[in-house]
Amino acid sequence: MPDRAEIVDLGFSVADADNVSFRFNGEHLVLDFTDWREQPVSVRFENTIGLRYQLAEYTLSREERFDSTHVIHESEWLKAHIDQSEAWDGPNWVHYKLNFNAGPTVEILCTGVGRTGDSEISDVSE
């Protein structure tokens, strides 16, 4: 079964977050938002090869929640990038789906994620 969601903890919460914005330098995506405690959050997605942003809510699988961050296993979207040689050999590619219940849905294809300012980017795909 393609596109199976698993809730993951990336070290931040997207529930009730707002003021979502992002910047992309051609390699890495930085996503900024204000969390439910009204604290600024800035997250970097390494080697971003895909980004989807939309306001309408939708699910890829029944395991999803509208206020959580997910890894999408067996992702058809990621498979299309691999099949078209847009993802290079070596890193583990991950499809993340962030469901901001008070805002947009953001999906990202990348190799790792970490808070900006962190010295280490983690791969939580395993």
Side-chain angles (χ1 to χ4, degrees), residues 84-99:
Q84 294 175 37
S85 300
E86 296 299 334
W88 53 93
D89 289 336
N92 291 324
W93 293 95
V94 184
H95 177 175
Y96 291 107
K97 185 168 185 252
L98 288 66
N99 292 336

Side-chain angles (χ1 to χ4, degrees), residues 49-101:
I49 58 171
L51 170 66
R52 291 178 177 164
Y53 173 97
Q54 70 178 51
L55 294 176
E57 292 181 341
Y58 69 97
T59 59
L60 294 172
S61 72
R62 67 178 188 262
E63 297 86 7
E64 277 188 68
R65 290 181 40 175
F66 284 110
D67 63 352
S68 299
T69 301
H70 305 81
V71 168
I72 306 300
H73 299 284
E74 302 171 42
S75 165
E76 291 292 326
W77 186 38
L78 179 55
K79 183 179 180 320
H81 281 74
I82 292 169
D83 291 348
Q84 294 175 37
S85 300
E86 296 299 334
W88 53 93
D89 289 336
N92 291 324
W93 293 95
V94 184
H95 177 175
Y96 291 107
K97 185 168 185 252
L98 288 66
N99 292 336
F100 291 88
N101 62 313

Side-chain angles (χ1 to χ4, degrees), residues 1 4 14 27 29 41 70 72 76 79 96 105-106 124:
M1 174 193 329
R4 183 178 49 83
V14 297
E27 183 177 6
L29 175 79
V41 176
H70 305 81
I72 306 300
E76 291 292 326
K79 183 179 180 320
Y96 291 107
T105 298
V106 178
V124 296

